[in-house]
Amino acid sequence: MERIIVTPGHRLNGEVRASGSKNSALPILASTILTEEECRVTRCPDISDVDNTVQILRYLGCEAEFSSGTVTVKADCIEKSDIPYSLMEQMRSSIIFLGAMLARLGRAEISMPGGCDLGPRPIDVHISSLKKMGAEFVEYGGFLYGEAQQLRGAYIHLPFPSVGATENIMLAAVTAVGETVISNAAKEPEIADLAQMLTKMGARIEGAGGDVIKIVGVKRLYGAEHEIIPDRIEAVTLIAAAMITGGKVTVTGIVPEHIKAVADVLETAGVRISTGESFVTADAPKRLKAVPRIVTAPYPGFPTDCQPMLTAMLSVADGVTLVSEQVFQSRFKYVNELYRMGADIYVEDRTAIVLGNSRLTGARVTATDLRAGAALVIAALASTGKTEIDDIYHIARGYENIDGKLRTLGADIKMK
Ligand code: EPZ
């Protein structure tokens, strides 16, 4: 099994371009089964989650090709309406096919997504919302069987702004009969990006990116071409990596507004941030300062996906930072691995107490999930001594050529 070897001692400086967003590519690729015409999705990151999604499209019977960042899909003859356990277990976010399969096929059979290192990953809100649109479900033997002769528009108020549930409702609603209103909708940039793609396909959607999304169902959708938005979480990962080494980095090809909440935290830590239309430059202070409090929240709040990377970065800052994880039940498992690298971090329930001033030392550690793996790489860059990171398939799931990008900035990092 491949692992990442990081040899520290290098300040990371330079310019690097962000890839397309993993969390936008997945629902947009699922949307391509809503039409029989060809769709082309560009700026897809070359990551295993996209590969898995292409495999699911092929398994369902679509023609699907992924080359040099473009996924081309033609879903004119879908033969299957199930996603096998083997494909689901590799990627729990395959749940994003549920709404589109019910809309296109009238039925869906998928294995219940298991938990992961962020805690249980329930889909109760997805199911209750789709039931309001006329779908019926049976859960049996770890599988979810869904049926919907004809989906109907509905008024759906989400108990909290679930990203995946918002996306599944949108994918089910665009060809449902009548109007769907989603209130308390997720506002992440990936929601607006999905709406962009669906609108290009002929859907009637307004309000995506805000609290209330209105969708009027149409009879059919058409082929479209769409470029995925940049990956805001990758951009933050690259910045945190440069900042912990005292460097200066410009990340290009991004939407600065998408990382505003994180930029504010970085400035509190003493980072000098400058932005242009499609880039952000971050220049580290001599010594990072602690940030009194970071609280994760749905967009436009501080993104939970950036919590592990900023916690790792602030483990060497001067002072104490409290990091409160309010989106996932347990997203601090990676702290055990950082602790083995000498990070002075203690977790009480859903808050990490980052004491700061840690003297990090290289160690053999294990990535427990995508962002945890990124946090370990960041800590390794500022340690004394080499770090070896196992189970890096987690990192490959969501980061395109992250080692190559970090090497461009001067890091001594290699896959082995
Ligand atoms: C999406 O997950 C992202 N994944 C996650 O990114 C991200 O952390 C999350 O949104 C929050 O921004 C993709 O887009 C593929 P949620 P999702 O539904 O849709 C609970 C990464 O690292 N919940 O907004 O699963 C859930 O357990 C990944 O790229 C229910 O209880 O997030 C969580 O505690 C990690 N019932 C909270 O809500 C439900 O039916 C937020 O989940 C659905 C969710």
Side-chain angles (χ1 to χ4, degrees):
M1 170 61 74
E2 271 195 319
R3 33 181 212 273
I4 284 182
I5 318 280
V6 179
T7 306
H10 307 274
R11 194 163 278 174
L12 268 57
N13 291 303
E15 185 172 302
V16 66
R17 180 176 166 77
S19 298
S21 162
K22 161 181 88 82
N23 291 348
S24 199
L26 304 183
I28 284 176
L29 289 173
S31 76
T32 62
I33 71 170
L34 292 170
T35 176
E36 297 188 359
E37 297 185 359
E38 182 173 279
C39 290
R40 279 168 50 81
V41 182
T42 60
R43 201 176 179 181
C44 285
D46 185 9
I47 57 176
S48 51
D49 271 9
V50 171
D51 287 336
N52 288 331
T53 305
V54 170
Q55 274 184 55
I56 290 173
L57 289 167
R58 285 192 188 132
Y59 173 85
L60 292 173
C62 307
E63 292 168 32
E65 290 304 324
F66 182 17
S67 90
S68 11
T70 295
V71 176
T72 306
V73 184
K74 197 152 188 307
D76 52 346
C77 57
I78 294 185
E79 297 127 9
K80 295 210 179 74
S81 58
D82 70 301
I83 299 181
Y85 178 75
S86 58
L87 287 175
M88 268 303 279
E89 65 159 351
Q90 290 174 49
M91 189 176 76
R92 61 164 308 285
S93 40
S94 313
I95 188 68
I96 203 55
F97 274 92
L98 181 60
M101 287 169 76
L102 289 171
R104 171 69 189 270
L105 308 168
R107 60 190 182 287
E109 181 187 316
I110 51 174
S111 86
M112 292 296 279
C116 68
D117 256 79
L118 313 185
R121 301 293 294 274
I123 57 168
D124 53 311
V125 177
H126 297 243
I127 291 172
S128 59
S129 301
L130 293 168
K131 276 183 177 170
K132 287 181 187 149
M133 299 178 70
E136 292 174 352
F137 295 96
V138 169
E139 290 179 39
Y140 179 74
F143 269 80
L144 177 73
Y145 301 87
E147 277 219 356
Q149 294 316 320
Q150 174 56 64
L151 288 166
R152 297 183 308 278
Y155 176 85
I156 301 168
H157 177 80
L158 293 178
F160 55 84
S162 157
V163 173
T166 301
E167 290 164 345
N168 256 328
I169 299 165
M170 290 167 72
L171 290 163
V174 285
T175 55
V177 174
E179 181 182 64
T180 296
V181 175
I182 310 170
S183 79
N184 197 24
K187 300 196 278 284
E188 274 68 6
E190 292 76 33
I191 301 293
D193 204 28
L194 174 60
Q196 279 277 337
M197 169 65 172
L198 291 168
T199 303
K200 287 178 183 175
M201 294 170 75
R204 291 176 54 194
I205 304 179
E206 57 182 54
D211 289 308
V212 180
I213 301 174
K214 282 189 184 157
I215 298 167
V216 176
V218 295
K219 283 218 177 311
R220 61 168 293 191
L221 295 176
Y222 303 88
E225 173 155 342
H226 182 73
E227 179 180 304
I228 299 288
I229 57 170
D231 194 316
R232 58 198 171 98
I233 311 300
E234 184 201 34
V236 168
T237 306
L238 295 164
I239 290 172
M243 294 305 100
I244 200 169
T245 67
K248 178 176 179 180
V249 67
T250 295
V251 183
T252 60
I254 65 167
V255 179
E257 185 56 31
H258 288 172
I259 64 168
K260 180 85 182 63
V262 182
D264 289 351
V265 165
L266 289 167
E267 286 181 320
T268 306
V271 173
R272 284 175 299 284
I273 297 276
S274 50
T275 61
E277 196 184 325
S278 61
F279 71 84
V280 168
T281 297
D283 190 358
K286 269 208 176 331
R287 187 80 201 278
L288 287 166
K289 291 186 285 188
V291 174
R293 195 136 186 271
I294 295 175
V295 183
T296 66
Y299 194 87
F302 186 93
T304 173
D305 293 345
C306 296
Q307 177 260 95
M309 296 82 86
L310 270 281
T311 300
M313 185 193 86
L314 292 166
S315 70
V316 301
D318 185 13
V320 179
T321 296
L322 293 183
V323 181
S324 171
E325 173 54 58
Q326 293 306 315
V327 175
F328 284 100
Q329 210 166 11
S330 65
R331 193 169 196 168
F332 287 120
K333 287 203 180 136
Y334 67 92
V335 169
N336 298 330
E337 296 299 294
L338 285 181
Y339 194 70
R340 294 183 55 241
M341 296 176 73
D344 251 345
I345 306 176
Y346 299 89
V347 176
E348 298 276 332
D349 193 20
R350 294 176 78 152
T351 298
I353 303 152
V354 186
L355 294 182
N357 299 300
S358 302
R359 304 187 65 72
L360 300 175
T361 53
R364 181 91 185 251
V365 288
T366 303
T368 50
D369 76 78
L370 169 63
R371 310 303 174 186
L376 294 174
V377 170
I378 289 167
L381 290 167
S383 299
T384 49
K386 198 181 283 191
T387 294
E388 295 195 18
I389 303 172
D390 289 319
D391 289 2
I392 57 164
Y393 60 88
H394 288 293
I395 299 176
R397 274 192 47 214
Y399 286 102
E400 179 181 53
N401 186 30
I402 189 76
D403 55 319
K405 288 172 179 161
L406 291 173
R407 273 195 299 274
T408 307
L409 298 174
D412 179 347
I413 177 171
K414 41 181 167 298
M415 302 274 197
K416 205 168 121 182

